[in-house]
Amino acid sequence: MFLTKLKNNKTDYVHVISALEHPKKLIISKFSDAVIIHCTTSNVHIVEYEGSDLDNFCNFLKKLKIVRLQTTNENIYKKLLPFFKHHYFCCQAIYEKKGNYFPEEFKLLQKNDLPYVQETYGMSEYILQLFERNRLFGWYEENLLKGYVAFHIDETVGALFVKPEFRKEGLGSKIMKAAFEKYDSGTAYAQILSENEASVKLHKKINCTFSSKPVYWLYNEEYNYS
């Protein structure tokens, strides 16, 4: 079975495994050689396919009126690219927990720091939604925010940001490791834009395992919880 095949390759298909770990999902597939998972919270359709009738399969996907699509299949990406406003691709980094790293500096973002996160990350409404759901964390020293990270709506760990005046001190690695250790809703992993060499280097520093396949994103709407 195709789904079993994907499960046995956690490194390349951690996005599939992560989606299956969470209760708010709907598995849609009329094809024995395809997997389609609709993650209802994030409104993302995760699509993987190994069949030979790509045109028929992509026509089926078009009928689903997908808003956000994620796949490792480059042919699907190319076929559907004209039907979406935005696109990018990234690598996936899996963090295998090694112990208990829970520094006292790592805590929920304070409300007075929310405007700074909204300004520096953008997507103001989405950041507010993350904050309201306790999915934004800051690194505080003497009550001063030095950086932040988020547990995204799609269950990835990301949005890492270190204030410019505190960079080159290894703080990014500390924040990311703390976030991965704290994450307890399933497999801890990140998706990193392929051209972001600094982030790739950081994730390697904390011993993440990287996928060999890029993950392609197609979307018409930015993330939100509505």
Side-chain angles (χ1 to χ4, degrees):
M1 186 178 178
F2 186 41
L3 183 57
T4 301
K5 179 179 177 180
L6 300 185
K7 288 180 180 179
N8 289 334
N9 187 354
K10 180 179 180 181
T11 302
D12 285 341
Y13 298 103
V14 62
H15 58 301
V16 174
I17 294 169
S18 176
L20 294 172
E21 288 174 340
H22 297 279
K24 293 187 177 181
K25 62 180 180 295
L26 178 63
I27 300 176
I28 309 168
S29 184
K30 293 185 177 181
F31 302 82
S32 60
D33 48 11
V35 170
I36 307 173
I37 304 172
H38 182 206
C39 304
T40 54
T41 301
S42 60
N43 199 15
V44 171
H45 283 77
I46 296 174
V47 177
E48 299 297 343
Y49 182 65
E50 67 170 2
S52 57
D53 194 352
L54 186 64
D55 287 337
N56 184 39
F57 182 65
C58 286
N59 286 334
F60 174 76
L61 292 177
K62 291 175 190 176
K63 294 176 183 177
L64 296 180
K65 298 181 180 180
I66 295 173
V67 174
R68 305 181 186 102
L69 184 147
Q70 184 182 145
T71 184
T72 64
N73 191 307
E74 185 178 7
N75 292 323
I76 291 176
Y77 167 73
K78 290 179 177 178
K79 280 277 187 182
L80 297 182
L81 185 58
F83 302 95
F84 289 86
K85 297 176 183 177
H86 310 284
H87 63 96
Y88 65 89
F89 61 94
C90 54
C91 58
Q92 303 196 103
I94 306 170
Y95 180 81
E96 302 290 351
K97 293 191 175 184
K98 302 295 183 182
N100 296 309
Y101 177 68
F102 302 120
E104 61 181 13
E105 294 88 350
F106 187 77
K107 58 190 72 175
L108 283 171
L109 189 81
Q110 298 174 9
K111 189 172 183 178
N112 60 299
D113 290 314
L114 180 60
Y116 179 80
V117 178
Q118 291 174 310
E119 178 185 352
T120 51
Y121 185 76
M123 296 176 64
S124 179
E125 180 59 29
Y126 173 59
I127 289 297
L128 176 61
Q129 292 174 340
L130 292 178
F131 177 79
E132 291 173 341
R133 290 162 174 79
N134 294 327
R135 297 176 76 91
L136 275 177
F137 292 84
W139 185 278
Y140 290 91
E141 294 181 14
E142 297 181 355
N143 209 36
L144 173 68
L145 177 71
K146 290 192 170 183
Y148 62 81
V149 71
F151 294 166
H152 279 300
I153 185 175
D154 65 351
E155 303 301 340
T156 56
V157 181
L160 174 67
F161 183 86
V162 177
K163 287 186 173 181
E165 61 267 34
F166 302 117
R167 293 175 184 171
K168 297 184 179 180
E169 299 177 2
L171 193 54
S173 298
K174 292 179 181 179
I175 295 173
M176 205 67 195
K177 184 175 180 181
F180 278 137
E181 289 281 355
K182 186 173 182 64
Y183 185 80
D184 60 1
S185 297
T187 302
Y189 77 110
Q191 292 187 340
I192 308 163
L193 290 174
S194 298
E195 65 269 22
N196 192 340
E197 295 180 3
S199 185
V200 170
K201 183 178 179 180
L202 183 154
H203 285 79
K204 286 182 177 179
K205 186 176 180 179
I206 58 175
N207 298 316
C208 286
T209 301
F210 281 78
S211 61
S212 62
K213 291 175 175 288
V215 173
Y216 300 95
W217 276 90
L218 296 165
Y219 62 101
N220 288 322
E221 297 178 8
E222 296 282 4
Y223 272 150
N224 62 70
Y225 276 86
S226 60

